[in-house]
Amino acid sequence: MASAGSGDEKAATVTLISSDNEHFEVPEAVATLSQTIRHMIEDGCTDGGVPLPNVTGRILAKVLEYCNKHAAASDKDELEKFDKAFVDIDDQATLFDLVMAANYLDIRGMLDLTCQTIADMIKGKSVEEIRETFNIKNDFTPEEEAEIRRENQWAFDD
Amino acid sequence: MRGADLINPALPDELLDDVIRRVGAGPGGGKRDLDACALVCRRWRRLERASRRSARLAASGERADEVLRLVAERFPALADVSVDERLTAAGVVGAVPRSRRPRQARPVHRTSPFRRRRRLPVASSAVHIAPFPLDQPAIDDGSERSCLTDVGLAHLARGCRGLEKLSLIWCSAISSTGLVRIAENCKNLTSLELQACYIGDPGLIAIGEGCKLLKNLNMRFVEGTTDEGLIGLVKSCGQSLVSLSVATCVWLTDASLSAVGSHCPNLEILSVESDRIRDDGVISIAKGCRQLKKLKLQCIGAGDEALDAIGLFCSLLESLSLNNFERFTDRSLSSIAKGCKNLTDLVLNDCQLLTDSSLEFVARNCKKLAQLKINGCQNMETAALEHIGRWCPGLLELSLIFCPRIQDSAFLEIGRGCSLLRTLYLVDCSRISDGALCHIAQGCKNLTELSIRRGYEIGDKALISVAENCKSLRELTLQFCERVSDAGLFAIAENCSLHKLNLCGCTLITDSGLTAIARGCPDLVFLDISVLRVVGDIALAEIGEGCPKLKEIALSHCPEVTDVGLGHLARGCLQVESCQMVYCRQITSAGVATIISGCSRLKKLLVEEWKVSERTRRRAGPVLSFLCTGL
């Protein structure tokens, strides 16, 4: 296994480079929460660092916060509390960036968490409320909308 | 949050699809949310329609076949479909031309000589589950309304080839032909449920031949078949079958069970309700289905020999439910106890010949026993429970229904031995009084659910002891426990944060007791205060203020409640989904209107028909269900 770290007693680390050229030296045990990075380590192409052109430094820092916490494999309740706080974000742009990063880096737990957060923002809302939450433009004609409402009536609630 | 749409540019289709699927799944999500997603914008509609997984569809109405065709076309990814003739299909786009009006298709393979079952009329007190029926065709006098036929089912089969679960309920015009189409197209079918349907043998046989992944088959009140149908099915796909349930199918005999024993080695769950099954049938099952984990039998024709076999061969059995077993004795349970060491759940309903010895066998041998329910086994007395208390430390749930001989002292042992007990149900156990509950409370501190119906000897002393000892109590039911008064409620309110409370018929309760509850139980979700004669608006005002999470409330037969109280309730309890208020003589149409307009999440309201104004009826529509006075 290729090791980018130095010294016999220090655990192996890998350097991650964000799109805006910030460098993060991270223990392999933490970085490999990302399947993408894990494969790269296994393939031995991490010398000189791993460039991540799709992730900014700001987002990568947050991702590593998640990975650090989850790699330490703490108590289940503690992880739940951490996760809840992690996605308590006012800024939608950051949330979507985290989803994209989780997808690109293939971090299953974080992808589940962030997608579920977005889903929870949608549940229980009316159509208008959903559009308002995400600033989505209604691009239906009135006829199209009527058709969808009719389709919705074909099936019944449980 | 003002500004640009960030979500659509940010998330590619696969991620937005993931999010939309999650919206439809899990608690709080469902059809309404998915319907909303489809209306957001064109992209969301495309993704939502392509990923919708489950649907509950109508089988009644002239356009049922057409609706199913359109549903299959618009929602091709459906995997879990329930088709129910108790539901009526709403209008479709454009009128259906007369020439395409579906006739009652006479199926090709029909072999049964039975007369077609008449559809039963929907009772007027049934909940209206059709949506606003704007496009309903007028019903001709004398003729039956059309409903879903094999044509519609074939559309579904061809359009949704990924179908995994299918339920056909009261589908009177579906026959073997429809099932043959399903078998031809839906190779991934894992679960099939037929309830009150009229299917022939060829249909079942075709399913067996076509659906090799079938895991679950559930048939209740299915006519038109014979043993041959089921035998044919298990011969073809018996290897994959894990769960089988057959109830009220008069054609079922031991021949079927014998085939199941021969061809279903992986069967884990079996439920049989039949008057024609005898010992031989059950013995075949025992010998052939060694993996059996869950068994439910309601067969008056079977007896001790059948259960001897189960005990001998089915050592993996975890759950056993015996109902209406008139012919079996303590010997049966002795065999079970010896052979089924993994037993965790035991239900005994109306097993007249069993005595305390049965439970002694079970208690001593089945150390993992966690759930025990005894209903109407009149020869079981106090000793039965004492054995359980002594030998079953893992007991979590205990239900005793109509056990008039069991006395307080039995609960001394339960209290001593079953410290993990979480749930206790006592119905019609007339000898049980406060003493029993004090034993329980002192010993079973983990109690979360306590339900007592018609406990005429139970009073405040019991409640106080429970309140002081069982801090985890979340659900409390005291129906017609006429000695319970406000004092008991004060204690409960102080110590236990209840989610569910049912005080129906505890006529000593007054507004004071309910005030204490309202102030002490802010997490209350379910409340039943029916038949409380002196409870009135003060209680409702307190509940309105103290219990914002309330979802279900029943206040029928409360003569002191007025429209004012309803106003307070509607103002504070905005999450209410279900409300019952019949026989409240002071409530008028104004109060009904207040509830309808105040509780936006209301799904069901039970009230007298004459109390609903025309305007309210228009506004509320499907939410209303009316008391059927049977005049």
Side-chain angles (χ1 to χ4, degrees):
Chain A
M1 182 170 70
S3 164
S6 56
D8 297 308
E9 291 176 9
K10 220 171 106 182
T13 66
V14 62
T15 303
L16 305 176
I17 309 167
S18 71
S19 61
D20 44 357
N21 216 21
E22 260 187 79
H23 286 57
F24 297 81
E25 194 176 339
V26 178
E28 271 185 17
V30 171
T32 48
L33 251 75
S34 154
Q35 292 301 309
T36 308
I37 295 176
R38 159 173 284 190
H39 291 321
M40 293 176 91
I41 293 175
E42 283 167 0
D43 292 344
C45 34
T46 54
D47 284 345
V50 179
L52 301 172
N54 292 356
V55 191
T56 66
R58 190 177 69 91
I59 295 299
L60 189 52
K62 279 220 80 159
V63 172
L64 292 176
E65 207 187 297
Y66 178 91
C67 293
N68 272 316
K69 188 73 185 180
H70 279 255
S74 348
D75 168 58
K76 196 173 158 223
D77 284 335
E78 206 186 315
L79 280 180
E80 239 178 81
K81 271 203 193 110
F82 171 83
D83 284 352
K84 206 166 157 206
F86 185 74
V87 288
D88 190 5
I89 310 169
D90 275 337
D91 170 24
Q92 279 185 19
T94 305
L95 181 59
F96 299 142
D97 285 338
L98 286 173
V99 175
M100 300 295 291
N103 188 41
Y104 171 62
L105 293 170
D106 196 357
I107 305 172
R108 182 81 243 179
M110 193 171 135
L111 189 61
D112 284 343
L113 177 64
T114 47
C115 284
Q116 188 61 46
T117 303
I118 302 175
D120 291 339
M121 284 164 75
I122 297 170
K123 285 188 196 186
K125 289 196 164 81
S126 70
V127 182
E128 290 77 22
E129 285 166 347
I130 298 173
R131 286 194 197 126
E132 206 184 296
T133 303
F134 297 104
N135 292 303
I136 300 175
K137 186 168 178 297
N138 175 7
D139 55 358
F140 289 122
T141 66
E143 293 75 35
E144 281 172 332
E145 227 182 278
E147 191 186 337
I148 303 171
R149 287 185 195 278
R150 240 184 325 251
E151 283 175 11
N152 284 343
Q153 283 191 346
W154 292 339
F156 295 78
D157 280 321
D158 286 332
Chain B
M1 293 265 193
R2 201 163 293 131
D5 170 359
L6 297 172
I7 188 170
N8 277 312
L11 300 188
D13 277 358
E14 67 188 52
L15 289 183
L16 188 52
D17 178 83
D18 188 320
V19 168
I20 291 175
R21 278 174 200 268
R22 285 169 191 273
V23 169
K31 181 188 178 289
R32 286 186 195 203
D33 292 315
L34 291 177
D35 286 348
C37 286
L39 281 162
V40 167
C41 65
R42 284 186 181 157
R43 184 188 181 211
W44 283 42
R45 175 197 188 180
R46 177 173 54 82
L47 290 172
E48 197 286 308
R49 289 326 197 205
S51 70
R52 178 85 64 113
R53 251 195 82 87
S54 76
R56 197 161 159 248
L57 305 169
S60 274
E62 278 203 351
R63 292 158 188 172
D65 283 340
E66 180 66 6
V67 169
L68 236 70
R69 184 183 71 78
L70 290 166
V71 165
E73 193 184 290
R74 299 295 157 87
F75 303 91
L78 285 178
D80 180 351
V81 175
S82 169
V83 182
D84 193 333
E85 202 166 286
R86 297 168 302 184
L87 306 172
T88 305
V92 299
V93 177
V96 177
R98 285 202 80 82
S99 57
R100 283 182 62 208
R101 203 165 149 189
R103 307 265 311 138
Q104 302 296 4
R106 289 284 155 236
V108 176
H109 301 285
R110 191 170 223 125
T111 52
S112 157
F114 300 116
R115 204 163 55 80
R116 244 176 61 86
R117 183 176 57 74
R118 311 289 300 167
R119 269 186 338 108
L120 299 178
V122 175
S124 61
S125 66
V127 177
H128 289 293
I129 20 190
F132 294 106
L134 300 171
D135 302 359
Q136 283 272 306
I139 300 165
D140 298 309
D141 287 326
S143 70
E144 265 186 278
R145 271 160 58 191
S146 298
C147 53
L148 188 76
T149 69
D150 292 326
V151 170
L153 199 59
H155 288 315
L156 180 70
R158 289 189 193 112
C160 302
R161 286 165 174 260
L163 207 60
E164 292 169 17
K165 284 175 70 168
L166 178 64
S167 246
L168 299 173
I169 303 178
W170 289 84
C171 294
S172 54
I174 300 287
S175 73
S176 281
T177 310
L179 283 193
V180 167
R181 294 289 164 260
I182 294 283
E184 282 168 357
N185 288 283
C186 307
K187 300 297 181 186
N188 287 336
L189 199 70
T190 56
S191 171
L192 178 63
E193 184 186 343
L194 302 169
Q195 224 188 99
C197 292
Y198 209 74
I199 308 279
D201 288 339
L204 288 184
I205 294 170
I207 292 285
E209 283 167 359
C211 306
K212 296 293 188 189
L213 298 177
L214 196 70
K215 277 195 178 148
N216 172 48
L217 177 63
N218 185 341
M219 296 194 289
R220 174 175 284 274
F221 193 30
V222 172
E223 294 185 333
T225 1
T226 70
D227 283 318
E228 294 312 309
L230 186 54
I231 292 172
L233 186 149
V234 300
K235 274 188 178 154
S236 298
C237 69
Q239 288 286 326
S240 58
L241 217 56
V242 169
S243 166
L244 174 65
S245 172
V246 186
T248 329
C249 296
V250 294
W251 46 266
L252 187 79
T253 71
D254 285 344
S256 282
L257 290 195
S258 176
V260 171
S262 301
H263 297 281
C264 304
N266 299 314
L267 200 68
E268 291 180 14
I269 301 174
L270 177 67
S271 172
V272 178
E273 279 177 43
S274 160
D275 290 345
R276 293 172 73 185
I277 299 295
R278 308 252 170 279
D279 286 338
D280 284 343
V282 181
I283 292 171
S284 311
I285 294 287
K287 286 183 177 162
C289 306
R290 306 289 182 107
Q291 308 295 318
L292 214 57
K293 289 210 176 100
K294 225 173 128 154
L295 178 64
K296 179 177 168 185
L297 292 175
Q298 187 168 323
C299 313
I300 55 174
D304 286 338
E305 280 189 36
L307 288 177
D308 284 347
I310 297 287
L312 194 58
F313 294 109
C314 302
S315 57
L316 298 178
L317 200 67
E318 292 169 9
S319 168
L320 179 65
S321 174
L322 301 172
N323 307 275
N324 297 9
F325 257 61
E326 292 173 0
R327 288 184 45 221
F328 85 106
T329 70
D330 291 337
R331 170 180 144 195
S332 280
L333 282 199
S334 165
S335 305
I336 295 287
K338 283 200 198 107
C340 307
K341 304 287 185 192
N342 285 323
L343 202 67
T344 56
D345 281 19
L346 180 62
V347 175
L348 302 170
N349 276 329
D350 289 325
C351 302
Q352 307 290 357
L353 300 178
L354 293 189
T355 73
D356 295 334
S357 304
S358 277
L359 281 200
E360 187 179 357
F361 295 137
V362 169
R364 281 182 187 258
N365 288 284
C366 304
K367 305 287 186 188
K368 296 186 189 175
L369 199 67
Q371 270 156 264
L372 176 64
K373 178 173 165 186
I374 303 175
N375 182 344
C377 301
Q378 281 153 301
N379 285 313
M380 284 203 176
E381 303 194 15
T382 305
L385 279 194
E386 285 175 350
H387 295 308
I388 296 292
R390 273 187 212 127
W391 302 102
C392 301
L395 197 69
L396 298 173
E397 215 178 286
L398 178 62
S399 296
L400 300 172
I401 303 169
F402 194 59
C403 297
R405 292 192 182 197
I406 292 182
Q407 298 175 340
D408 286 353
S409 54
F411 292 92
L412 185 60
E413 291 296 339
I414 298 281
R416 274 194 199 144
C418 305
S419 57
L420 298 178
L421 196 71
R422 283 199 307 242
T423 304
L424 180 63
Y425 290 127
L426 300 170
V427 179
D428 286 320
C429 297
S430 47
R431 285 208 186 166
I432 292 176
S433 71
D434 290 341
L437 284 174
C438 291
H439 293 317
I440 293 284
Q442 279 151 24
C444 309
K445 309 244 180 198
N446 289 315
L447 204 65
T448 50
E449 192 180 337
L450 176 63
S451 177
I452 307 175
R453 291 169 204 253
R454 292 179 288 280
Y456 300 128
E457 303 296 321
I458 306 283
D460 292 333
K461 187 164 166 224
L463 277 193
I464 292 167
S465 182
V466 167
E468 282 169 1
N469 287 287
C470 307
K471 307 289 184 182
S472 309
L473 195 71
R474 296 283 168 265
E475 294 186 26
L476 179 62
T477 297
L478 299 163
Q479 265 195 359
F480 296 103
C481 296
E482 290 161 354
R483 288 193 184 188
V484 164
S485 78
D486 290 341
L489 285 193
F490 293 151
I492 293 285
E494 212 178 294
N495 290 287
C496 309
S497 183
L498 296 179
H499 291 176
K500 183 174 159 169
L501 178 62
N502 184 333
L503 296 167
C504 174
C506 298
T507 44
L508 293 180
I509 305 282
T510 75
D511 286 340
S512 297
L514 286 178
T515 299
I517 291 289
R519 290 183 190 174
C521 304
D523 291 335
L524 206 62
V525 169
F526 173 104
L527 179 65
D528 188 334
I529 50 172
S530 306
V531 196
L532 296 189
R533 309 244 174 258
V534 301
V535 155
D537 291 341
I538 296 175
L540 287 191
E542 290 284 342
I543 291 163
E545 210 176 300
C547 307
K549 298 186 185 176
L550 199 66
K551 280 198 180 154
E552 282 184 65
I553 178 154
L555 39 94
S556 299
H557 293 274
C558 290
E560 297 302 313
V561 166
T562 76
D563 293 341
V564 173
L566 288 187
H568 289 305
L569 190 71
R571 247 193 307 282
C573 299
L574 302 170
Q575 309 287 329
V576 167
E577 293 176 6
S578 164
C579 178
Q580 297 183 29
M581 48 183 189
V582 287
Y583 295 111
C584 298
R585 60 185 164 85
Q586 294 197 58
I587 291 179
T588 72
S589 53
V592 176
T594 307
I595 291 284
I596 294 285
S597 56
C599 303
S600 60
R601 293 184 190 261
L602 200 63
K603 284 185 191 163
K604 180 180 166 191
L605 177 66
L606 181 68
V607 71
E608 287 91 343
E609 194 163 357
W610 53 268
K611 281 189 188 172
V612 181
S613 70
E614 196 44 54
R615 184 160 174 274
T616 304
R617 190 184 301 245
R618 268 198 312 273
R619 188 174 177 167
V623 159
L624 293 167
S625 57
F626 298 127
L627 180 70
C628 182
T629 53
L631 293 171

